[in-house]
């Protein structure tokens, strides 16, 4: 990673309260960094991953915890124009990255049932394998606070379970590899404000399905977008709604739920009920 650019320095000045402090807090509260970590910063070209790369580059300059970074960018089959747009942003932000090419779009475009799920699974596996080949033990992803809140509601309303997106987790099929999410406490609106202040034109999803939706004038054709709009409406009346949803999954009282499970072991509120 290179020396901080003006856009990176804005994170610690104009956006210190809304971005820099939440990033530092997440790293501290969730123990995302350990000495000797080598972190692959996954850069897709969107606003979130660009901010992530900038923030971790800055942290690398000032952190008391010794760690190393490598930018990691997959080309899943971008058009030359899309690839060029990402590279212009990287150059403007002073970010260096290791590019590698896959045929992800070609594979996913043949899927009809659930292409987004398949894309996410294949993308993650490819990132794990490439990060391991570069000697990394962690990959950093650009998921933010609003992603966490939306995932929580999606799981409840469409999955019938209380489940959220964790700030870090171990890769099941890649021993020694972990995922970390340093933007976990950063609001999306503040990322958008940073993007506008930097004058960046970021890349939207470039797959065939997203492009088809945009051409049809229907970029909102997803359950996540519906949930995002629902939360925005609720926040107009109560600005604590998103925070309350977030806090609900760290304040679960098992005495007041019908059931719960840890792995394959399931429990009911009836367990021991008559023993009280």
């Amino acid at each position: 990673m290179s020396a901080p650019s003006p856009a990176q320095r804005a994170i610690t000045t104009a956006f210190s309260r809304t971005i820099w402090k939440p990033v530092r807090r997440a790293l501290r509260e969730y123990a995302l960094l350990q000495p000797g970590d080598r972190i692959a910063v996954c850069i897709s070209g969107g606003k979130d991953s660009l901010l992530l790369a900038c923030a971790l580059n800055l942290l690398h300059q000032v952190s008391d915890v010794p760690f190393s970074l490598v930018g990691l960018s997959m080309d899943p089959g971008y058009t030359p124009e899309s690839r060029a747009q990402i590279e212009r942003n990287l150059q403007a932000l002073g970010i260096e990255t290791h590019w590698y090419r896959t045929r992800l779009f070609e594979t996913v475009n043949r899927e009809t049932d659930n292409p987004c799920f398949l894309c996410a699974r294949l993308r993650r596996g490819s990132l794990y394998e490439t990060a391991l080949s570069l000697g990394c033990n962690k990959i950093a992803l650009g998921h933010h606070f609003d992603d966490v809140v939306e995932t929580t509601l999606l799981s409840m309303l469409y999955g019938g379970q209380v489940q959220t997106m964790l700030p870090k987790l171990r890769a099941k099929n890649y021993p020694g590899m972990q995922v970390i999410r340093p933007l976990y406490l950063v609001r999306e609106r503040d990322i958008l404000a940073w993007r506008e202040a930097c004058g960046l034109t970021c890349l939207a999803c470039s797959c065939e399905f997203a492009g088809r939706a945009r051409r049809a004038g229907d970029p909102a054709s997803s359950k996540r977008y519906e949930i995002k709009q629902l939360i925005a409406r609720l926040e107009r009346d109560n600005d604590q709604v998103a925070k309350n949803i977030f806090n609900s999954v760290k304040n679960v009282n098992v005495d007041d739920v019908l059931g719960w499970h840890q792995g394959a072991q399931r429990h009911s509120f009836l367990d021991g009920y008559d023993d009280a």
Side-chain angles (χ1 to χ4, degrees):
M1 292 283 181
S2 59
S5 65
Q8 291 182 50
R9 288 194 292 271
I11 295 170
T12 60
T13 53
F15 295 93
S16 174
R17 182 182 62 83
T18 57
I19 293 177
W20 187 234
K21 289 182 178 179
V23 167
R24 300 293 293 269
R25 180 184 163 200
L27 291 166
R28 181 178 64 254
E29 285 193 9
Y30 304 120
L32 301 185
L33 282 181
Q34 280 77 42
D37 279 345
R38 181 165 173 78
I39 302 171
V41 187
C42 300
I43 306 169
S44 66
K47 67 185 190 312
D48 307 328
S49 65
L50 290 174
L51 173 61
L52 173 69
C54 287
L56 287 182
N57 188 32
L58 286 168
L59 187 74
H60 186 250
Q61 313 298 320
V62 302
S63 176
D64 294 331
V65 179
F67 69 96
S68 59
L69 296 172
V70 56
L72 184 58
S73 295
M74 176 202 299
D75 184 337
Y78 290 134
T79 65
E81 295 78 15
S82 294
R83 172 76 177 254
Q85 178 63 61
I86 297 173
E87 291 178 337
R88 283 194 296 271
N89 283 338
L90 292 172
Q91 184 176 15
L93 294 171
I95 297 171
E96 300 172 2
T97 191
H98 170 86
W99 280 97
Y100 73 101
R101 186 172 177 82
T102 70
R103 300 171 69 178
L104 180 65
F105 283 171
E106 182 180 332
T107 301
V108 172
N109 287 344
R110 294 196 294 265
E111 176 69 17
T112 56
D113 291 336
N114 197 341
C116 294
F117 174 81
L118 177 63
C119 180
R121 183 167 62 83
L122 294 178
R123 182 185 295 270
R124 185 71 58 87
S126 176
L127 290 171
Y128 284 145
E129 291 174 1
T130 308
L132 282 169
S133 73
L134 295 172
C136 298
N137 66 310
K138 291 180 178 177
I139 65 172
L141 301 179
H143 297 118
H144 48 69
F145 181 91
D146 296 79
D147 289 324
V148 179
V149 172
E150 292 158 15
T151 297
T152 303
L153 272 193
L154 279 166
S155 295
M156 294 177 66
L157 298 181
Y158 296 106
Q161 58 187 336
V162 177
Q163 182 174 303
T164 193
M165 180 185 287
L166 295 174
K168 66 178 181 180
L169 68 155
R170 299 186 186 279
K172 292 181 179 179
N173 300 317
Y174 297 85
M177 179 63 69
Q178 295 184 56
V179 173
I180 61 172
R181 296 182 168 106
L183 302 184
Y184 199 77
L185 300 177
V186 179
R187 293 298 306 257
E188 184 175 25
R189 64 194 178 209
D190 297 317
I191 300 175
L192 288 166
W194 172 81
R195 183 193 68 183
E196 293 303 313
C198 296
L200 297 175
T201 301
C202 295
L203 194 68
C205 182
S206 300
C207 77
E208 177 181 312
F209 300 97
R212 190 184 305 155
R214 285 192 295 270
R215 289 190 296 272
D218 183 26
S221 57
S222 74
K223 293 301 180 186
R224 182 170 290 274
Y225 184 84
E226 291 177 15
I227 292 294
K228 184 185 291 290
Q229 295 300 104
L230 171 62
I231 294 170
R233 289 197 300 272
L234 294 172
E235 282 199 301
R236 286 197 287 268
D237 295 325
N238 179 355
D239 63 5
Q240 297 300 304
V241 162
K243 290 182 180 179
N244 288 340
I245 296 170
F246 181 91
N247 287 334
S248 72
V249 288
K250 65 177 183 180
N251 292 316
V252 177
N253 183 349
V254 295
D255 290 333
D256 295 324
V257 296
L258 288 172
W260 68 97
H261 68 90
Q262 186 168 20
Q265 188 175 13
R266 293 189 170 272
H267 303 273
S268 166
F269 82 101
L270 290 173
D271 297 345
Y273 181 85
D274 292 330
D275 298 335

